[in-house]
Amino acid sequence: MRWFISARRLFGAVLLSFFLSSYTMYELPCDSNLLVESERIALTQVGVREVGNNRGEVAKYLASVGLDEGHPYCAAGVYWCFSEASKNLKLSKSEIPFKRTAVANAVLNDAISRGKRVDKPIARHDLLVWKSKTSWQGHIERVIETKSRGIVKTIAFNVKLSEGEGVGIKTRYLSHPLGKLMLRGVIKFEVKDDN
């Protein structure tokens, strides 16, 4: 019986290793104050709920990327936090390190084209990007805390909450699919200080 448990643990470790290594990771430069302030702003949004389908207060996230309410807003919410932080810090919008879009995988595609490929541990502020195997659709969340064994806490826009949909804190297992979505990539930030 002990050999069965050991074999099962070994298989689990190999499977976890496979899933954790099946995504790509790219790094973009970012002002350290912008990272901290955008996270602070993101946390103030926890509990915002939709009114109807992708409507209500969440429309401000979509407006930041030039869209009307009614569209998915996971990437728009992440962008909005950086946009608001850049205003607070009196920085140019060009300081926002990633693409202005509501499409999660467009954010990753941009990071792939402009960023530096890296292989580092998942960390606070990283953006996790999931993708459907059969379409362009996906999802993006921001890491706010790392746990052990490929488990992270994120701030997530456009997700199911206990009551309705909106913005919430989620625990994610990097080795598990997110519904029908697989983790495709991670966007990391190389901190730069211009002070």
Side-chain angles (χ1 to χ4, degrees):
M1 185 59 135
R2 282 188 179 162
W3 68 268
F4 177 76
I5 293 170
S6 295
R8 195 168 143 193
R9 284 185 182 151
L10 177 62
F11 177 74
V14 169
L15 191 61
L16 178 64
S17 171
F18 169 76
F19 279 115
L20 292 179
S21 64
S22 64
Y23 56 81
T24 59
M25 188 177 288
Y26 289 85
E27 191 170 63
L28 298 169
C30 185
D31 180 272
S32 61
N33 295 320
L34 186 59
L35 271 182
V36 170
E37 180 65 3
S38 61
E39 181 188 66
R40 185 194 69 74
I41 290 169
L43 290 169
T44 69
Q45 299 304 293
V46 172
V48 168
R49 286 186 168 65
E50 296 176 15
V51 176
N53 186 23
N54 298 335
R55 299 181 185 285
E57 188 179 348
V58 302
K60 66 187 179 189
Y61 311 136
L62 290 162
S64 76
V65 295
L67 293 173
D68 294 328
E69 64 183 355
H71 294 81
Y73 57 90
C74 62
V78 174
Y79 182 85
W80 179 85
C81 295
F82 277 81
S83 178
E84 292 298 301
S86 70
K87 288 180 200 171
N88 291 353
L89 298 169
K90 297 181 176 33
L91 296 173
S92 164
K93 293 270 174 80
S94 66
E95 291 289 321
I96 298 171
F98 56 89
K99 185 174 183 166
R100 178 183 180 244
T101 180
V103 179
N105 279 277
V107 176
L108 181 60
N109 291 341
D110 176 63
I112 290 169
S113 71
R114 294 186 306 109
K116 174 175 66 175
R117 188 161 185 169
V118 295
D119 184 13
K120 298 179 177 179
I122 301 289
R124 183 177 177 186
H125 303 302
D126 289 355
L127 302 180
L128 307 177
V129 181
W130 289 267
K131 184 180 183 301
S132 165
K133 290 181 182 178
T134 58
S135 80
W136 60 270
Q137 294 178 322
H139 185 65
I140 188 170
E141 296 181 1
R142 181 178 180 159
V143 175
I144 57 171
E145 183 182 345
T146 57
K147 303 278 196 180
S148 62
R149 300 174 135 187
I151 302 169
V152 296
K153 277 195 170 181
T154 65
I155 181 149
F157 292 79
N158 206 169
V159 292
K160 286 184 179 19
L161 305 171
S162 58
E163 293 180 19
E165 294 199 11
V167 185
I169 303 293
K170 294 289 183 175
T171 298
R172 299 300 188 197
Y173 299 81
L174 300 178
S175 61
H176 296 176
L178 192 60
K180 295 181 179 180
L181 306 176
M182 296 299 293
L183 185 60
R184 177 182 171 222
V186 177
I187 301 168
K188 300 187 77 61
F189 298 107
E190 180 181 23
V191 173
K192 63 183 183 89
D193 289 304
D194 294 330
N195 302 338

